[in-house]
Amino acid sequence: MKTTAKKMSVFQLTTMVAANMLGAGIIMLPTNLAQVGTISVLSWLVTAVGALLLAYIFAQAGMFSQKQGGMGGYAEHRFGKTGHFMASYAYSISLIIANIAIAVSAVGYGAAFFGVDLNATQTSQVTIVLLWFAAILNFRGNRFTGRLSNMTIWGSIVPVLLIGTIGWYWFDPSIYWAAWNPNDLPLYDAVKQSISLTLWGFLGFESAAANADAVENPKKNVPIATVAGTLAVAVVYILSTNVMAGIVPNVDLLNSNAPFGLTFVYMFNDTIANIVMAAMVISCFGALLCWQFTLSRVFKSAAEHGYFPKIFARVNSNDAPVRGVLILLAVETLLTLFTASESLREQFEILVNLAVVTNVVPYVLCILAVPTMMRMAGVAESRIKRSNYLFGIGVLYCLYAIYACGFDAMVGSAVAVSIGLVIYVLRKAWDTRRAHRLQQSID
């Protein structure tokens, strides 16, 4: 269906990139990082450098790409149609998992705000309601999602900035150093154990590329949004999480379902903390809205290129793929029920590890494809050779991140990716056979 829907501006895209990272990535991280201790600041530094490197590489891809389809189009330059499918498929699976983790985070804060204890079944039910509500709001189209994310992101930005600035007044170095390494882990193990969590915080820098087809002047605006959003979020993350660790004792952070709300209890009082928790629930919902939008665009783009069923490409007058979204919601609902756990923190960590590993797969494919893009764009070979060092470091960082997520996450991701590859091979064989039969009937 032809639409007249307006596309996003560079400011809206940058805001969406930041919202995808801030609104979803940070609100439960202090609780999970408390397992490792404040030594996790080393992981933040490693991950920030790695994320900025990946953001720079994706910015290069955005400038030199000659194909549509976001990360799938990037991968196609080097790996053909199979690469396009695998990048789009793996990214889609990671988004489905990530959306559930985001919704679980919002449920945790909401439960703390209302002062209720939810069991595994109740948590799953509320999570499912949030997933459906966020997806349905996207039926209003691109501009609506961009405007709403511009508003909701402040629910995270304001509390996080307050902690990163005035929070130093309550910062106690003795609390911070007491939580440095509570489990006496070797340095390498401590960094490794928290790498997946810190990388989770940066997942979303690639969403500018994933939404390239919905953006004005993508060759210019996608690189700007990618680098600017990632750099801003890196500073915010490192400051806020480390200040919190010097305000709230580690054991209290570890047992909290709403760590930012707890921090404001220590800084001010319960009333201010409740306002912060409400704001962060709204922000997290805004991030979920953006991620549901991104998920639908990835499926829509892949369907338009013939990699996913055509139903995912059918849109309404607002350019929203309604039917495809409903199918994705059914999948998210089943996965939410399947991963239900009595411990919100454990459920969140399982989902995060699986989402990170699956998400890194298209990163690697895209990084390896950038030199090919540059050659196709007529870039001098000497410049490409210099850039290859950065691309190699980017791949090594991705492989380390996969390793750091643990064996279970690697196996789960391998199974999911293998299923996709089998589906693609079978479908390709079916299409070839059907084309052969058609040719025989013509002859």
Side-chain angles (χ1 to χ4, degrees):
M1 178 185 294
K2 187 176 180 179
T3 70
T4 58
K6 294 182 179 180
K7 294 191 174 185
M8 289 184 180
S9 66
V10 64
F11 177 75
Q12 288 178 320
L13 183 65
T14 303
T15 302
M16 172 176 278
V17 171
N20 283 345
M21 289 187 279
L22 274 175
I26 195 171
I27 70 172
M28 281 298 293
L29 276 183
T31 292
N32 293 85
L33 290 174
Q35 300 175 76
V36 181
T38 51
I39 194 174
S40 60
V41 67
L42 302 178
S43 297
W44 273 125
L45 296 175
V46 171
T47 305
V49 172
L52 286 169
L53 174 60
L54 294 179
Y56 170 79
I57 294 172
F58 270 76
Q60 297 297 301
M63 288 189 291
F64 295 120
S65 176
Q66 299 181 26
K67 297 180 182 292
Q68 294 183 329
M71 289 198 291
Y74 295 169
E76 187 177 347
H77 288 82
R78 176 77 176 266
F79 301 101
K81 295 186 179 299
T82 301
H84 190 136
F85 172 82
M86 290 308 301
S88 297
Y89 172 80
Y91 189 54
S92 301
I93 296 299
S94 73
L95 290 187
I96 290 173
I97 299 168
N99 283 349
I100 299 171
I102 296 166
V104 165
S105 300
V107 171
Y109 270 75
F113 175 75
F114 289 106
V116 297
D117 292 323
L118 302 177
N119 58 35
T121 301
Q122 292 169 330
T123 299
S124 296
Q125 291 171 343
V126 179
T127 299
I128 291 168
V129 170
L130 284 179
L131 289 168
W132 279 76
F133 187 43
I136 291 173
L137 282 180
N138 275 307
F139 294 170
R140 296 285 301 276
N142 307 335
R143 283 282 182 175
F144 177 78
T145 299
R147 287 195 298 267
L148 196 57
S149 67
N150 286 344
M151 294 184 291
T152 59
I153 188 178
W154 294 104
S156 283
I157 287 180
V158 172
V160 169
L161 289 180
L162 286 174
I163 289 177
T165 52
I166 67 172
W168 291 101
Y169 178 79
W170 290 269
F171 182 84
D172 186 342
S174 64
I175 294 177
Y176 186 87
W177 290 115
W180 177 251
N181 191 359
N183 300 313
D184 294 322
L185 295 172
L187 178 62
Y188 176 82
D189 290 339
V191 173
K192 172 180 172 292
Q193 190 169 324
S194 49
I195 278 288
S196 62
L197 295 170
T198 51
L199 182 56
W200 158 259
F202 285 100
L203 294 189
F205 74 84
E206 78 291 335
S207 56
N211 291 296
D213 295 343
V215 181
E216 299 169 353
N217 193 4
K219 281 189 174 294
K220 175 184 177 182
N221 292 338
V222 166
I224 293 174
T226 300
V227 175
T230 304
L231 181 60
V233 168
V235 174
V236 169
Y237 276 161
I238 294 174
L239 282 178
S240 60
T241 54
N242 281 278
V243 172
M244 289 174 67
I247 297 175
V248 183
N250 193 68
V251 66
D252 292 342
L253 280 177
L254 184 61
N255 294 307
S256 175
N257 286 336
F260 277 89
L262 179 63
T263 303
F264 275 86
V265 170
Y266 275 80
M267 291 169 59
F268 297 105
N269 52 51
D270 290 340
T271 301
I272 300 297
N274 284 333
I275 294 173
V276 168
M277 285 190 287
M280 288 204 134
V281 169
I282 294 172
S283 178
C284 195
F285 179 77
L288 182 61
L289 179 76
C290 292
W291 276 116
Q292 292 285 50
F293 174 82
T294 299
L295 177 62
S296 68
R297 301 303 303 191
V298 171
F299 268 83
K300 175 180 177 293
S301 178
E304 288 173 341
H305 289 82
Y307 299 105
F308 290 175
K310 291 297 182 184
I311 191 172
F312 291 103
R314 297 175 184 173
V315 297
N316 62 12
S317 59
N318 292 317
D319 196 33
V322 176
R323 297 179 184 178
V325 168
L326 293 175
I327 295 173
L328 294 173
L329 282 170
V331 175
E332 289 177 337
T333 298
L334 292 174
L335 188 57
T336 300
L337 296 172
F338 182 75
T339 58
S341 173
E342 292 295 337
S343 171
L344 193 71
R345 177 175 58 79
E346 290 180 4
Q347 182 181 11
F348 179 80
E349 189 168 354
I350 290 170
L351 290 168
V352 163
N353 286 336
L354 188 56
V356 167
V357 174
T358 311
N359 207 43
V360 167
V361 172
Y363 287 179
V364 174
L365 294 176
C366 292
I367 292 171
L368 294 176
V370 176
T372 303
M373 296 183 207
M374 297 174 74
R375 290 189 180 93
M376 293 175 65
V379 177
E381 194 66 29
S382 58
R383 179 182 172 185
I384 296 175
K385 288 181 178 179
R386 290 195 300 270
S387 298
N388 281 339
Y389 292 106
L390 289 178
F391 301 153
I393 295 172
V395 171
L396 290 175
Y397 173 74
C398 289
L399 295 177
Y400 174 68
I402 291 174
Y403 164 72
C405 288
F407 180 77
D408 290 343
M410 285 190 283
V411 171
S413 177
V415 170
V417 172
S418 298
I419 290 173
L421 186 59
V422 170
I423 292 173
Y424 177 76
V425 170
L426 292 176
R427 182 176 178 181
K428 191 172 182 179
W430 171 262
D431 290 342
T432 302
R433 185 178 179 184
R434 185 172 60 178
H436 180 67
R437 287 180 177 177
L438 180 61
Q439 185 62 43
Q440 284 183 328
S441 64
I442 295 175
D443 296 338

